[in-house]
Amino acid sequence: MADVRISGADLVVEMNGFDKLWALKSSLTIPLANVRGATLDPGITRESKGIRTAGTHWPGVITAGSFRVDGERVFWDVRDPMKAIVIELRDEHYARLIVEVDDPRATIGLIEKSL
C-alpha cells in the first residue's frame, strides 16, 4: 500500500512497510505539472503487466515494482485490486503509477483538485 500526498507543487507517493522491499522503491516525487490525472480502475490488475524490470510479481498476491509494457514504463504497488488507482503521467520516467491506497476515492479527489 502507498500513501499519496501533495507537497507544494509535487505529488509524493510513499510505499509503506514491506512494500518498499517488494517494489524496490520507497517513494516517488512527481511535479504536479506532469500529472495528467487519476482514476479508480480495479480491473487494471487483470491486464498484462508486461515485462518486470525490477520488483515482485506473484499473480493474485502482489504486483510491485517497475514493469515495461507496450514500450512504456509502469510502476505498480498493488495487493488489493479494489483499492488500486491509476495515476497518468507525462514527460516522466514512468507513464503510469498503479498503486493501492487506503481510500481510493479520497486520493483521486485530492489529486484531481490539485491539478
Side-chain angles (χ1 to χ4, degrees), residues 6-60:
I6 305 298
S7 177
D10 295 327
L11 173 77
V12 178
V13 179
E14 292 182 336
M15 277 44 80
N16 295 325
F18 281 109
D19 286 16
K20 295 175 188 175
L21 176 66
W22 305 133
L24 299 177
K25 193 165 290 285
S26 60
S27 69
L28 295 161
T29 300
I30 309 291
L32 283 170
N34 293 350
V35 177
R36 295 174 44 211
T39 58
L40 178 64
D41 187 359
I44 197 161
T45 59
R46 291 188 297 269
E47 293 182 8
S48 171
K49 311 301 180 286
I51 298 170
R52 178 178 43 150
T53 56
T56 305
H57 180 60
W58 291 328

Side-chain angles (χ1 to χ4, degrees), residues 25-93:
K25 193 165 290 285
S26 60
S27 69
L28 295 161
T29 300
I30 309 291
L32 283 170
N34 293 350
V35 177
R36 295 174 44 211
T39 58
L40 178 64
D41 187 359
I44 197 161
T45 59
R46 291 188 297 269
E47 293 182 8
S48 171
K49 311 301 180 286
I51 298 170
R52 178 178 43 150
T53 56
T56 305
H57 180 60
W58 291 328
V61 178
I62 186 170
T63 304
S66 299
F67 294 75
R68 202 166 177 96
V69 61
D70 296 331
E72 295 183 331
R73 291 185 179 106
V74 179
F75 179 82
W76 286 80
D77 184 19
V78 176
R79 293 177 192 229
D80 180 355
M82 297 307 291
K83 293 185 172 183
I85 65 169
V86 180
I87 303 170
E88 300 281 345
L89 306 174
R90 66 176 154 248
D91 302 327
E92 285 291 327
H93 180 74

